Amino acid sequence: KAGVTQTPRYLIKTRGQQVTLSCSPISGHRSVSWYQQTPGQGLQFLFEYFSETQRNKGNFPGRFSGRQFSNSRSEMNVSTLELGDSALYLCASSDGAYTGELFFGEGSRLTVL
Amino acid sequence: KNEVEQSPQNLTAQEGEFITINCSYSVGISALHWLQQHPGGGIVSLFMLSSGKKKHGRLIATINIQEKHSSLHITASHPRDSAVYICAVSLRAGGTSYGKLTFGQGTILTVHP
């Protein structure tokens, strides 16, 4: 059974640009959550999607957005990049049920210059 | 004060030692997760707990809901256990919100041979 796949693994952007990151969950999982990890703030929750609907959202500005497709794949987008957006972006999938364990991808490491 | 506090922040041990990492939280939760992160970024979910105790191999996790406290124990530690261990909680809220996690700051564990 394939794990959670995140693409791209590494990317470099400049301030003001936008970026789209992709997350393919484990087959059969309907929930995808996104997290940002930085040295200063640690891990923080961005948003969670379940069956194409945003179920929860963290405290991030509107420049951070996401969506989920009918095949459960999810994308997140960051517009008008700032230096502080440099981070490891992780996604996790689960079956969305009460006892659903989370399975994490390897992350996408974004550097903003 | 953070909603999730871990101790210690850094832990060094000799191979074979018994290790305990603690996690305290200040809010009602629906579940608590123990995560392991190796250099390079990938996160592995070790345990998801809502009550009692769980054991996987040399790892044991316990939770005391009344005291809002959880511990992760590693018996017979090994250098390959060296990693960052992160406690995270799903806050109690209406509906299912298990991907919306609040994270502790992590414990950096180094096990020397």
Side-chain angles (χ1 to χ4, degrees), chain B residues 10-13 19 21 74 81-85 107-111:
Chain B
N10 288 279
L11 183 54
T12 301
I19 288 164
I21 300 170
I74 304 176
D81 297 326
S82 298
V84 178
Y85 292 83
T107 295
I108 302 172
L109 172 64
T110 305
V111 182

Side-chain angles (χ1 to χ4, degrees), chain A residues 36-69:
Chain A
Q36 181 197 63
Q37 186 175 35
T38 60
Q41 297 296 320
L43 276 159
Q44 294 180 281
F45 169 77
L46 280 159
F47 22 67
E48 179 189 10
Y49 288 88
F50 180 79
S51 293
E52 300 181 65
T53 300
Q54 187 179 86
R55 188 155 72 169
N56 284 290
K57 189 176 191 306
N59 295 323
F60 279 81
R63 299 184 298 107
F64 292 80
S65 63
R67 58 179 174 170
Q68 187 179 32
F69 302 96

Side-chain angles (χ1 to χ4, degrees), chain A residues 25-33 48-53 55 68-74 92-97:
Chain A
I26 289 172
S27 178
H29 282 187
R30 295 190 294 164
S31 171
V32 174
S33 301
E48 179 189 10
Y49 288 88
F50 180 79
S51 293
E52 300 181 65
T53 300
R55 188 155 72 169
Q68 187 179 32
F69 302 96
S70 58
N71 62 357
S72 293
R73 188 178 71 86
S74 178
S93 80
S94 79
D95 61 13

